[in-house]
Each structure stands twice: as C-alpha cells, then as structure tokens.
C-alpha cells in the first residue's frame, strides 16, 4: 500500500523486463500481455531434514536398541546421565558420518521431480544397440523439461549420476558421462558419437531415454 518505486518502465510489444529475485515490484497491464514467474525453489531446512530422516530410518537396523549395561546409577533417579546422552548423540552422528553416502542421498533427493510433473517412460522402449544406431544416424537428445539431473564425483575416479531421484553408478571409465549429460553442451550426434562405442555408455543413454529423462529428436 505504501510502495514507492525508484524506477519505472513501459514495455512495448517485443520488450522483456527481467526482475531478479527479492526485488520488490508492482506491475500493471496496460494491454494484453504475458507475465511469467520462473521459480527455482530451494528446499527448506525442514524439507531436507524430513527427507534425510525418512531415508535414514530405512538404513537403521530395526533390531538395534538402546542399551547401557555399564551405566552407573545417577544420584537422582530422574537424571539423564551424560553417558546416556553421549550414546544418543553417537547414534545420530553416525547417520551423517559418511560423506559419500550423504552426497548420494542428496543427489537423489534434490533431483526428485517436483510439483507432480514426472517424465513418462516410452511406450515402446529402445532395444540395446538400437539407440546408438539412431544417434549415429544423426539424431540428437534433449533433456526433458521436467527431468532434473545432477552428479557427484567419487574418490577413485567414479561418479554417481542422478536423474529424477534415481542414481546411476558410473565407474572411472564411464564417469565422463556425468558432466557431459548434466552440462550445457547440446547432446547432438557430433557430441555423442565419439563415446557411443565406450562400454556402458550406450546402455546408460538407453536407460535414460526409455525412462523419458532424455528425449530423442
């Protein structure tokens, strides 16, 4: 109600005004127009914790139970001893002690499709080797608009490629595929052809295409 602008623009047909995040603004349509709000919403801390704890609950041994056979009797019967609290802290810290496992979980978590939009698997999937021949013939691949990709590199040269919440473990010889498929380069026949005879690369592309994560053009 008390908005006072320090700049003002009138957009003509063909004009586009980009407003960065966190910039207060007020717009009025003077004629027919279109306004797009393009959001890349980061997960809240609550969503991260909730997602990780759900994942951790599946990893914990369901038969493991708190035990303190060496616990000394406290001076007060209701006092929670430091030794008991230390044991609880150890249980929780062990869940995040493995950096590689944490990275692999987050890769799956952060690439899960959001807002109910999921890629659709092909009705007629490509057979092994069929996609490679199609690409060698000049076809190209395009990332689905609702597919999220990411990767993490592992010690030893391997990598994990994440697509729509799924993880694809790549050995050192195939790890090049992770930055290639998640990068900015167009996945043209010329870009992909040098790698199509690399063992496992064609199978990886076929799996991603058959799931609808990559589209053939």
């Amino acid at each position: 109600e008390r908005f006072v602008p320090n700049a003002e623009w009138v957009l003509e047909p063909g004009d586009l005004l980009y407003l960065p995040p966190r910039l207060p603004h007020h717009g009025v349509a003077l004629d027919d127009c279109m306004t797009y709000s393009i959001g890349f919403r980061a997960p809240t801390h609550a969503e991260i914790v909730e997602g990780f704890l759900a994942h951790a609950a599946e990893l914990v041994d369901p038969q493991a139970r708190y035990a303190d056979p060496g616990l000394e009797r406290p001076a007060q019967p209701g006092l929670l001893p430091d030794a008991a609290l230390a044991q609880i802290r150890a249980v929780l810290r062990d869940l995040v002690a493995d950096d590689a496992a944490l990275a692999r979980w987050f890769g799956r978590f952060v690439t899960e499709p959001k807002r109910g939009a999921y890629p659709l698997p092909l009705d007629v999937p490509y057979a092994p080797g069929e996609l490679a021949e199609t690409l060698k013939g000049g076809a190209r691949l395009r990332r689905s608009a609702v597919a999220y990709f990411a990767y993490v590199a592992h010690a030893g040269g391997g990598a994990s490629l994440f697509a729509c919440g799924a993880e694809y473990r790549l050995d050192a010889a195939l790890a090049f595929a992770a930055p290639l498929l998640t990068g900015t380069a167009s996945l043209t026949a010329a870009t992909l052809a040098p790698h199509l005879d690399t063992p496992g690369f064609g199978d990886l592309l076929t799996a991603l295409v058959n799931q609808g994560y990559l589209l053939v053009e």
Side-chain angles (χ1 to χ4, degrees), residues 3 8-11 17 25-33 35:
F3 183 77
E8 183 175 340
W9 294 269
V10 175
L11 293 130
L17 175 65
H25 55 277
H26 175 63
V28 177
L30 303 179
D31 204 335
D32 292 341
C33 71
T35 300

Side-chain angles (χ1 to χ4, degrees), residues 52 90 92-102:
F52 176 74
L92 297 178
R93 285 171 177 164
D94 285 346
L95 296 176
V96 294
D98 189 336
D99 290 342
L102 185 64

Side-chain angles (χ1 to χ4, degrees), residues 7 12 15 23-25 34 46 60 65 68 75 82 85 87 91 98 109 123 129 143 145 165 190 192 200 215 217:
E12 302 294 341
D15 292 345
L23 184 68
H25 55 277
M34 291 183 291
V60 174
R65 189 178 296 273
D68 49 17
D82 291 341
L85 296 176
Q87 186 173 339
V91 171
D98 189 336
F109 171 79
D123 293 332
R143 301 171 187 88
L192 299 173
L215 308 178
E217 293 183 337

Side-chain angles (χ1 to χ4, degrees), residues 55-66 91 95:
H55 162 73
E58 298 176 356
L59 302 180
V60 174
D61 181 359
Q63 302 303 320
R65 189 178 296 273
Y66 173 85
V91 171
L95 296 176

Side-chain angles (χ1 to χ4, degrees), residues 91-146:
V91 171
L92 297 178
R93 285 171 177 164
D94 285 346
L95 296 176
V96 294
D98 189 336
D99 290 342
L102 185 64
R104 292 175 57 199
W105 164 78
F106 187 66
R108 296 190 298 270
F109 171 79
V110 80
T111 58
E112 289 179 354
K114 307 296 190 296
R115 300 182 181 178
Y118 295 87
L120 297 177
L122 298 186
D123 293 332
V124 182
Y126 279 89
E130 182 183 1
L131 178 62
E133 294 304 317
T134 301
L135 294 172
K136 290 178 180 179
R140 58 178 289 165
L141 299 179
R142 176 171 57 85
R143 301 171 187 88
S144 169
V146 293

